[in-house]
Structures are given as C-alpha cells and as structure tokens.
Amino acid sequence: MTTGTEETRIVLDPFVTDLDGESAALRAAGPLAAVELPGGVPVWAVTHHAEARALLTDPRLVKDINVWGAWQRGEIAPDWPLIGLANPGRSMLTVDGADHRRMRTLVAQALTPRRVEQMRERISKLTESLLDNLTGEVVDLKADFAYPLPMYVIADLMGIEESRLPRLKELFEKFFSTQTPPAEVIATLTELAGIMAETVAAKRAEPGDDLTSALILASEDGDHLTDAEIVSTLQLMVAAGHETTISLIVNAVVNLSAHPDQRALVLAGEADWSAVVEETLRYATPTSHVLIRFATEDVPVGDKVIPAGDALIVSYGAIGRDENAHGPTAGDFDVSRTSKNRHISFGHGPHVCPGAALSRLEAGVALPALYERFPSLDLAVPVAELRNKPVVTQNDLFELPVRLIAE
C-alpha cells in the first residue's frame, strides 16, 4: 500500500478554471487521491461513490482538528484562507460521538419537517416577487433571483435581520474564497461570529418564531447548547443554507440550457422537476469538496492508506459522476436517470446535511415557477464563457446572464 509521501499530488486550482477536468482527474486517480489544497496544504480526497459512503461512516475519521498532524506541528497558518472551513468553531459540524448526537438532536428538534414545510408559502411568495422584478431582455439570474431567494429564506428561518444581508453577502464571499488576503481572514471570521452572537443575544432577550429562538429554547430543557455552540451552529446553517441552494438553482438552469432535449422533457411533463433537482445535485453538485476529516489511525482505502494524523476531504464533484455508481452514462445530464436518487451530494452518515430538505424545497418551488414564467429562458453567453468563482468548496459562478424569453 502507498502513502501520501509516495504520491504525486493533484494540486486543486484555486481559481477553479476547469472543475469538470479536475474532477475527472481526481476520479482517475481514485478512489483515494493525494491532493494539495490552496496554500500548499496536503490532504487526501475520496473520489468514488462506494468508498465515500464507507469513509463517511468510518469512526476512525473524526472532525477534531487537533488530530491533524499538520495542525499539531503548526504547519497550518491561522490566516490560511480556508481555515474558517477547516476549523469553523464548535458545532455539530466539528464534533463526533455523543457531543454530535446531542447537538444534532437539538437542531433536529428545531428544524422539524413541519417547520420546513411551513416555509413553502413564504418561498413561493418570495419567488413570485423576485420574478416580478426581473426586467430587461438580459439579466444576471444569480444576482437577481438565485442569490436573494435562499438568502431571504435562511434569514427568515434563522431570525436574522434583513438589514444585515448585504454585509453578510460580502463576508461569506470572503469566507469561502481562496483569494481572501491573509490580513482579512481573521477579521472576516471575527465579524461573522460577532453578527451571529448579536443575533443570538437578541433572540435570547426577545424570542421569535425562528430557528435560533427554537435552539435557545431547546437548550434550556435537558441537554443544551452553549451560546458559543449556538453561534457556531447559526453560522454553519446560514453559510450552508444559502450557498448550496444558490449553486443548485444556478447549475440547474445552466444544464437545462446546455441540454435542451432534457429541458423539453421537463417542460412537456415527461420528467418531474424533482428529477431535475436530483440530477443537478448528482451531475453538477453544489458542493465540489467538503473539508475536512482526520484519521485517528491508519485507514486503508483500496491499495492506499490514509496515515494516522492525515486529513481527508470528500470530493463530491468527482463522486457524482462515478461510473461504478451511475453506469457508463455517468457523464451525461439525464433527468430520466434511474440511479438519480443514489447520489450522496448532501453527505452520508451521521454528518448528512440537516438542511437538505429545505434546499430541495426551495429549488423545487423556484425552478418550475421560473420556467412557467419564462419557458424559453436561455443563456445569454456560451457555457464556456461562464466563469467559476475562486471557491474550491462550492461549484459556483460569478454571474449567470440569461435572456428572459416568455414564449
């Protein structure tokens, strides 16, 4: 078996100029590939479906950053651009075992299926309002529709004041970007935590019908979250709750435009919008890489080993098109695919995304409403001219220029 010291590492492009090509290279090197994150940080990446499912439930891989040998040796700078994703504070994202079950149970008690379903009417009204405001032949659908919808929804759900949204947009762009100057990394994390802490304090003083208030209330009965844990959980929910849905909506529109035969099936009623959502999640998953797990002991994967103390990322962009899971047409966008529900783009195992149902609901409302209003909507530029943002964790575009065609 081989270890990372014997591997030629695939250097992840910090500018994300060819995500599909990079994902294909990772798959070819897999199921376990030695990679280098921006900033010269060496990690492993799981790139195949079956191996990812196994590793995501393997108790030898934990979220405690103190297990990471590079962290222990002081090799990870505190202003590393991705430090907020590798060490985002104590929440259900960064703990395992009993602590994880405690935190996740409290979140589940607050984010119930009923609460999510109650958001449907709000999502529908927001969608129609945003569509009413789309004017002009060419618009940036990301800025004018795909971004504000999930951001308003998550702010409403978490009880965050709408006046904070413009600043949160700026901060989260820095939070996810590989190009944030080192001098701004810690300041960005500090300001984000401050906004979340102020929100928690306000809801503790005056609770409302929102998830933050529900977390505080749940924490007062039996098991509890500390204020610091609620702050980190709030930041996690806001970050994941808007970024994933933005990319899901954007990538669905891009691929329906790039595959007019598939769009025709949906518009003719021969495929459901839910199939569009699931195939987009698989084929153009919103999250290209998830950081980060750490090996408490040597973990064999195929003919390779993740050595104890090494770090693992989950490369969902590569995993979604694994032919072993989705057959020889895994590289095709196909809304009639029978394996579409086998993807793991929201994760798998104990840390599966708790907001998956909300993201599916938002896309499931937004996309049919968009195409009902503009059934012939199309890209205003060739697909090759669409530019990815420099975010190695998200499959995200700078903008999505489209032509609004109603007939």
Side-chain angles (χ1 to χ4, degrees):
M1 294 185 178
T2 60
T3 66
T5 57
E6 302 163 0
E7 289 279 306
T8 299
R9 294 192 177 274
I10 297 173
V11 179
L12 298 189
D13 178 8
F15 296 100
V16 197
T17 53
D18 181 13
L19 181 59
D20 285 352
E22 186 172 83
S23 295
L26 287 168
R27 257 191 323 277
L32 187 69
V35 306
E36 182 180 297
L37 293 173
V41 175
V43 298
W44 293 92
V46 58
T47 66
H48 290 187
H49 181 97
E51 288 77 6
R53 284 176 59 93
L55 292 174
L56 286 169
T57 56
D58 193 320
R60 296 171 295 180
L61 290 158
V62 300
K63 290 301 198 85
D64 183 0
I65 195 171
N66 294 301
V67 173
W68 194 7
W71 178 260
Q72 296 172 351
R73 295 187 295 270
E75 296 169 4
I76 308 300
D79 57 3
W80 180 41
L82 298 179
I83 192 64
L85 293 164
N87 189 30
R90 186 176 174 80
S91 73
M92 62 182 179
L93 180 68
T94 58
V95 297
D96 299 283
D99 270 351
H100 176 261
R101 288 190 293 274
R102 170 179 62 87
M103 293 186 190
R104 191 175 181 99
T105 297
L106 290 171
V107 170
Q109 289 172 354
L111 186 61
T112 62
R114 180 183 178 187
R115 184 182 290 273
V116 171
E117 184 58 33
Q118 286 175 340
M119 296 294 294
R120 182 181 294 274
E121 183 177 355
R122 171 68 169 150
I123 293 168
S124 296
K125 288 182 178 179
L126 279 170
T127 297
E128 293 302 323
S129 176
L130 290 168
L131 291 174
D132 288 343
N133 290 327
L134 291 181
T135 58
E137 181 183 352
V138 175
V139 301
D140 179 358
L141 196 68
K142 179 183 175 182
D144 296 339
F145 183 69
Y147 171 80
L149 176 61
M151 199 60 183
Y152 280 126
V153 169
I154 200 66
D156 194 24
L157 179 67
M158 305 305 296
I160 295 175
E161 296 176 358
E162 287 190 8
S163 62
R164 293 191 180 274
L165 296 187
R167 182 57 180 162
L168 283 175
K169 180 178 186 293
E170 296 171 355
L171 290 171
F172 276 118
E173 285 182 348
K174 293 179 180 181
F175 177 84
F176 284 104
S177 178
T178 61
Q179 303 305 303
T180 300
E184 297 181 21
V185 171
I186 294 175
T188 297
L189 296 176
T190 301
E191 186 175 350
L192 272 173
I195 291 173
M196 302 306 165
E198 290 170 7
T199 300
V200 171
K203 292 302 175 181
R204 189 176 288 283
E206 189 175 342
D209 183 19
D210 54 75
L211 188 56
T212 302
S213 298
L215 284 173
I216 293 169
L217 181 62
S219 297
E220 294 173 350
D221 300 324
D223 288 338
H224 70 281
L225 298 175
T226 66
D227 272 11
E229 289 171 342
I230 296 174
V231 166
S232 293
T233 299
L234 177 56
Q235 180 168 314
L236 164 67
M237 297 294 287
V238 174
H242 79 280
E243 281 290 338
T244 298
T245 308
I246 293 167
S247 297
L248 174 54
I249 294 171
V250 165
N251 293 338
V253 172
V254 169
N255 282 289
L256 288 174
S257 296
H259 303 90
D261 58 324
Q262 299 299 300
R263 181 178 61 189
L265 287 176
V266 182
L267 295 183
E270 297 177 26
D272 295 335
W273 282 103
S274 61
V276 174
V277 171
E278 299 306 322
E279 181 67 348
T280 302
L281 287 167
R282 180 201 71 83
Y283 178 83
T285 180
T287 305
S288 45
H289 305 282
V290 165
L291 313 186
I292 203 166
R293 284 168 167 78
F294 311 101
T296 58
E297 60 183 85
D298 290 357
V299 180
V301 182
D303 62 352
K304 299 176 185 176
V305 172
I306 307 170
D310 274 15
L312 175 77
I313 67 173
V314 185
S315 294
Y316 288 106
I319 291 165
R321 301 191 195 180
D322 180 4
E323 292 189 2
N324 294 321
H326 303 290
T329 62
D332 298 339
F333 182 77
D334 180 4
V335 297
S336 61
R337 183 178 303 279
T338 56
S339 69
K340 60 182 178 296
N341 291 322
R342 292 186 59 211
H343 71 76
I344 55 171
S345 296
F346 282 120
H348 177 68
H351 287 277
V352 67
C353 177
L358 179 60
S359 186
R360 284 184 166 106
L361 174 61
E362 290 178 76
V365 170
L367 289 168
L370 173 66
Y371 282 91
E372 182 178 359
R373 189 81 65 99
F374 305 107
S376 298
L377 177 151
D378 207 353
L379 300 180
V381 299
V383 171
E385 293 183 15
L386 297 172
R387 298 181 303 131
N388 283 88
K389 295 181 72 173
V391 180
V392 298
T393 56
Q394 301 298 126
N395 183 3
D396 196 9
L397 298 176
F398 277 105
E399 58 185 3
L400 181 60
V402 300
R403 287 192 175 85
L404 299 177
I405 305 171
E407 65 276 344

